[in-house]
Amino acid sequence: MLILLTVVISTLTACSSPSEKLLEQFTEYRVEHGLDLYRQTIPQDGESSLIAAYETIDGLFGIMEFDGKENKQKEVEKSQKVTTAVLAGNESTILAILHPDQKTGNVKVHAGGQSEEFALDTQEPITMHTLNDSYDDVKIEVFDEQGNLIE
C-alpha cells in the first residue's frame, strides 16, 4: 500500500506545471521565513517568477520577486501612514505601497525623467504597480483624496 501511495504522489508531482511548483516553493519559503503575506501574483504559464508583498516577523514591509533561485527582495521599515518599497528587476520596477488608513488617493511616481500617476487600490491596504523599465532612482509621492501629500 505504501509503495502504491508513493507512486501516486510521484505521478501527481510529475504532472505539476512549473507555475504550480513555483507556488509550492514560495509557500515553503514563506512559512520557513515567517512572512505574513499581503498579496502575491499567480504565475501564468511561461512566467518564471511571482511577485509578493509581505511583512516580516520583525515588522518590516517587503516586496519580493520569487523565482526559487535568485530571489530579489527589498525590505523597509514601516511608517505610520504610508510605506513604500521599490524593487528594480531586470526589465521592470515593482512598487508596493502599504496604506492601511488611506482608502482613497493618488500616487505619483517619478523615474527616469518621466512621471506616472495612478489611484490607490480602494479594496486593499496595499497597492502594487509595475513600471515597464528598470529604474534605480524612483521617487513615490502619495496624495490623499484632497490632493495633500501624505508624509
Side-chain angles (χ1 to χ4, degrees):
M1 185 68 168
L2 181 59
I3 294 171
L4 179 60
L5 181 59
T6 304
V7 170
V8 170
I9 290 173
S10 296
T11 303
L12 289 174
T13 304
C15 294
S16 294
S17 72
S19 298
E20 291 169 334
K21 288 179 183 174
L22 188 63
L23 286 170
E24 290 172 13
Q25 285 180 316
F26 179 68
T27 299
E28 290 173 13
Y29 181 92
R30 184 176 56 81
V31 170
E32 183 179 311
H33 290 86
L35 303 180
D36 187 14
L37 196 61
Y38 283 106
R39 185 182 292 172
Q40 80 177 51
T41 61
I42 305 296
Q44 302 302 310
D45 288 339
E47 292 182 335
S48 60
S49 65
L50 62 83
I51 306 299
Y54 58 90
E55 187 171 325
T56 67
I57 294 172
D58 301 329
L60 297 175
F61 176 63
I63 185 166
M64 174 185 292
E65 182 177 17
F66 182 87
D67 66 5
K69 299 174 194 102
E70 299 176 17
N71 307 319
K72 294 180 182 179
Q73 64 192 78
K74 175 72 174 186
E75 294 175 347
V76 297
E77 295 283 334
K78 286 174 46 179
S79 68
Q80 286 293 94
K81 296 180 181 178
V82 174
T83 305
T84 60
V86 178
L87 182 64
N90 294 333
E91 299 176 6
S92 64
T93 302
I94 304 153
L95 315 175
I97 304 159
L98 182 62
H99 50 92
D101 299 327
Q102 189 64 40
K103 303 302 179 207
T104 60
N106 287 324
V107 179
K108 278 189 183 175
V109 179
H110 307 278
Q114 301 176 24
S115 294
E116 186 173 332
E117 191 170 337
F118 55 91
L120 288 174
D121 187 332
T122 59
Q123 304 297 315
E124 300 281 337
I126 187 167
T127 298
M128 294 178 70
H129 187 77
T130 302
L131 303 175
N132 291 330
D133 286 315
S134 183
Y135 300 103
D136 292 327
D137 187 28
V138 178
K139 180 181 178 188
I140 301 172
E141 298 173 311
V142 181
F143 298 89
D144 64 17
E145 55 275 359
Q146 285 83 34
N148 299 314
L149 181 63
I150 301 171
E151 311 240 10

